[in-house]
């Protein structure tokens, strides 16, 4: 496994439309492993392959990444003490994902993106959607997504079309966000 470089705005590769995966091979497995390692190292909850420069329709999501700085929780029940990590990984892999029927009602989440570091903004998206995807072996799955998972997968699927969350903002808000990012980079 290896941590790969995450592309950041205004890298033109982030605007590329990703191609479907046709080979469910070792290269795909390596890509997915590297994407997880890259995402966890950056404390992200989702990553699209194009964010590491690979224009393929592959997403990884983990809404419960381990917080490496978190103190283990000490539990005391049943007359004995034990410790455990407060969060547990829930890695999800989506190859060639499709959204089948987005809900009409919208929900607003404050979104961020590893390719637009330090910038957060409210985005409206369908509150729920049915998603069909393939796993690493090419098997097809379908599931109704709600809550943060619905928002996250729609955000990641946008990356496959070359769309960033800031593209959902008004022109003025997008310009303000990019200006803020520029200032943060200059200060770094
Ligand atoms: Ni993103």
């Amino acid at each position: 496994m290896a941590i790969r470089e995450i592309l950041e705005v205004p890298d033109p590769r982030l605007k590329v439309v990703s191609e479907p995966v046709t080979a469910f091979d070792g290269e795909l497995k390596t890509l997915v492993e590297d994407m997880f390692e890259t995402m966890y190292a950056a404390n992200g909850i989702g990553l699209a392959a194009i964010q590491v420069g690979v224009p393929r329709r592959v997403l990884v999501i983990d809404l419960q990444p381990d917080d490496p700085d978190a103190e283990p929780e000490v539990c005391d029940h049943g007359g004995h003490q034990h410790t455990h990590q407060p969060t547990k990984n829930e890695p999800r892999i989506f190859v060639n994902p499709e959204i089948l029927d987005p809900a009409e009602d919208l929900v607003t989440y404050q979104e961020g993106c590893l390719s637009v570091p330090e910038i957060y903004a409210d985005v409206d998206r369908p509150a729920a959607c049915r998603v069909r995807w393939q796993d690493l072996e090419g098997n097809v799955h379908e599931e109704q997504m709600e809550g943060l998972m619905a928002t996250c997968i729609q955000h990641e699927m946008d990356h496959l079309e070359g769309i960033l969350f800031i593209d959902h903002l008004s022109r003025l808000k997008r310009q303000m966000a990019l200006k803020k990012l520029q200032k943060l980079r200059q200060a770094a």
Side-chain angles (χ1 to χ4, degrees):
M1 293 219 290
I3 293 176
R4 303 199 190 186
E5 188 198 347
I6 297 176
L7 307 183
E8 294 183 3
V9 280
D11 194 307
R13 286 172 288 178
L14 290 169
K15 293 194 187 269
V16 166
V17 177
S18 295
E19 297 287 334
V21 170
T22 52
F24 294 82
D25 55 9
E27 202 179 312
L28 177 65
K29 286 190 180 72
T30 303
L31 171 65
V32 164
E33 283 174 11
D34 287 358
M35 285 170 67
F36 274 117
E37 192 171 359
T38 304
M39 180 183 81
Y40 288 136
N43 290 315
I45 59 170
L47 193 72
I50 190 62
Q51 291 181 275
V52 293
V54 179
R56 290 283 166 194
R57 302 185 83 81
V58 179
L59 312 175
V60 299
I61 292 177
D62 191 338
L63 301 180
Q64 305 251 33
D66 278 332
D67 179 354
D69 301 324
E71 294 289 320
E73 285 172 351
V74 180
C75 287
D76 189 358
H77 55 80
H80 68 279
Q81 271 197 347
H82 64 273
T83 60
H84 61 84
Q85 286 301 119
T87 57
K88 205 169 92 197
N89 280 12
E90 269 179 30
R92 305 284 311 259
I93 300 162
F94 300 93
V95 179
N96 298 329
E98 287 173 77
I99 287 180
L100 301 178
D101 53 352
E104 275 177 33
D105 49 318
L106 303 178
V107 69
T108 307
Y109 271 100
Q110 192 182 53
E111 297 190 17
C113 180
L114 295 176
S115 294
V116 194
E118 312 283 339
I119 302 296
Y120 301 91
D122 284 347
V123 178
D124 298 330
R125 295 184 191 272
C129 57
R130 194 156 187 84
V131 180
R132 181 187 292 157
W133 73 95
Q134 285 173 283
D135 59 26
L136 287 175
E137 280 75 45
N139 304 308
V140 177
H141 302 266
E142 227 181 271
E143 191 179 318
Q144 180 71 12
M145 303 295 185
E146 278 160 22
L148 182 58
M149 187 49 129
T151 294
C152 189
I153 198 154
Q154 290 175 79
H155 170 120
E156 300 309 328
M157 292 209 41
D158 270 356
H159 279 296
L160 305 183
E161 305 304 326
I163 297 167
L164 297 171
F165 81 98
I166 52 172
D167 295 327
H168 290 280
L169 307 178
S170 69
R171 208 172 72 144
L172 181 65
K173 281 189 178 164
R174 183 167 54 250
Q175 283 171 346
M176 282 168 58
L178 290 171
K179 208 170 268 181
K180 187 178 168 192
L181 178 57
Q182 208 174 5
K183 272 192 189 155
L184 287 166
R185 279 173 175 155
Q186 280 164 358

